[in-house]
Amino acid sequence: MVDKAYLKKHLRKREELETTIIRYNALLNKDDISSPAGNTDLFTGGASVSSIVENTVCKKIATEEKIKRLEDELVKQGRAINSILEKLENPYEKLVMQMRYEDRLEWDEIRGELFGGRRDYSENVEKYNDKIFRIHGSALKHMKELQNKDKGEK
């Protein structure tokens, strides 16, 4: 079921993918990845250069596999999330959920996009915060109702 916990896990999975990509890029930029030509028998601190390169290449491959697995999981989760978001009738509920979970905007960014142009925005930021959270809560409630309805029809 796509609920608040599922959506939070989805955001965390995206963060895990981002941090794994950062690690992967660091491994690619690491000097250990390319051994000096013809000098693979050199020793550095008790470890041969070839074993250091081998270790780094193994880490790189494992990280590539993790990135692929995370991307596949995110695609699957994204499909589940999108299928229920498309059923939301209230366009503001759909918009807030898309901005938060698809576009990964922070709450203040969403608030600014939706209400930043209003004359009283600066004086009533907290009021607009509450409004965003009410829309989000309402969307979660409607998503649950839609999913329960879908279960009942099966």
Side-chain angles (χ1 to χ4, degrees), residues 20-61:
T20 303
I21 290 171
I22 290 169
R23 179 173 186 229
Y24 178 76
N25 288 330
L27 287 169
L28 287 179
N29 294 328
K30 200 170 181 197
D31 288 336
D32 296 346
I33 200 96
S34 58
S35 65
N39 292 327
T40 56
D41 294 332
L42 294 176
F43 285 89
T44 54
S48 71
V49 171
S50 63
S51 67
I52 293 170
V53 171
E54 198 173 277
N55 186 34
T56 303
V57 169
C58 287
K59 286 180 187 176
K60 179 185 163 288
I61 291 169

Side-chain angles (χ1 to χ4, degrees), residues 2-152:
V2 177
D3 58 5
K4 190 173 184 176
Y6 187 91
L7 293 168
K8 279 186 175 186
K9 285 179 186 176
H10 182 70
L11 288 178
R12 293 293 164 249
K13 183 85 54 192
R14 282 184 163 214
E15 289 173 350
E16 185 179 359
L17 175 61
E18 288 174 1
T19 58
T20 303
I21 290 171
I22 290 169
R23 179 173 186 229
Y24 178 76
N25 288 330
L27 287 169
L28 287 179
N29 294 328
K30 200 170 181 197
D31 288 336
D32 296 346
I33 200 96
S34 58
S35 65
N39 292 327
T40 56
D41 294 332
L42 294 176
F43 285 89
T44 54
S48 71
V49 171
S50 63
S51 67
I52 293 170
V53 171
E54 198 173 277
N55 186 34
T56 303
V57 169
C58 287
K59 286 180 187 176
K60 179 185 163 288
I61 291 169
T63 306
E64 287 171 345
E65 290 169 356
K66 183 176 181 181
I67 289 170
K68 176 69 174 130
R69 179 182 52 79
L70 289 169
E71 287 173 337
D72 290 346
E73 290 173 13
L74 282 167
V75 166
K76 185 178 175 183
Q77 288 177 344
R79 284 188 191 123
I81 293 167
N82 285 329
S83 71
I84 195 69
L85 291 184
E86 287 303 316
K87 295 177 184 177
L88 289 173
E89 291 180 21
N90 184 312
Y92 283 99
E93 289 178 2
K94 184 189 288 189
L95 178 62
V96 167
M97 300 304 277
Q98 288 171 326
M99 292 173 88
R100 180 69 179 159
Y101 299 104
E102 287 181 26
D103 306 334
R104 298 177 37 235
L105 297 179
E106 296 295 329
W107 293 115
D108 60 334
E109 294 173 302
I110 297 169
R111 182 192 66 231
E113 288 296 323
L114 266 65
F115 306 114
R118 297 197 177 177
R119 275 184 254 131
D120 68 337
Y121 180 75
S122 297
E123 302 87 45
N124 294 301
V125 170
E126 286 306 312
K127 174 181 104 174
Y128 290 114
N129 264 345
D130 293 344
K131 193 165 187 157
I132 288 294
F133 295 138
R134 277 194 308 276
I135 293 169
H136 182 264
S138 179
L140 289 171
K141 179 182 158 217
H142 290 132
M143 289 168 58
K144 185 175 184 176
E145 290 170 358
L146 287 166
Q147 292 173 95
N148 288 337
K149 181 181 172 191
D150 287 347
K151 281 183 186 176

